[in-house]
Amino acid sequence: AALPRITRIEVISDKARITWTAENGKTYIVQYRNSFGVGAWTDGATVTANGATATSAENMDPAGTRFYRISVQ
């Protein structure tokens, strides 16, 4: 199985809309942290893919910086 790859991030109001490659029926967790190399990853949304891509709208950091990754559950 291929690892998920983020293919697009769009900023819509105060949300980051993240799209990634997926496998139909698999469950993914969006994870984030506010510093690139420091701190633990925090779980965001849990999404079950409904096709070859999946999408989630995540709250953005008020300070303006957030890093994302996608984990397979």
Side-chain angles (χ1 to χ4, degrees):
L3 293 175
R5 182 174 58 90
I6 294 174
T7 57
R8 184 176 189 155
I9 298 178
E10 298 174 279
V11 176
I12 301 171
S13 188
D14 61 345
K15 304 274 186 191
R17 185 171 186 255
I18 304 164
T19 302
W20 63 92
T21 58
E23 290 185 42
N24 189 42
K26 286 209 175 212
T27 301
Y28 300 87
I29 301 171
V30 179
Q31 296 179 313
Y32 64 88
R33 64 183 178 193
N34 296 338
S35 178
F36 181 72
V38 179
W41 290 94
T42 301
D43 289 349
T46 299
V47 177
T48 300
N50 212 4
T53 62
T55 301
S56 179
E58 297 290 315
N59 291 325
M60 292 177 51
D61 177 31
T65 302
R66 188 162 274 179
F67 299 88
Y68 297 95
R69 72 179 184 182
I70 308 299
S71 176
V72 181
Q73 189 173 25

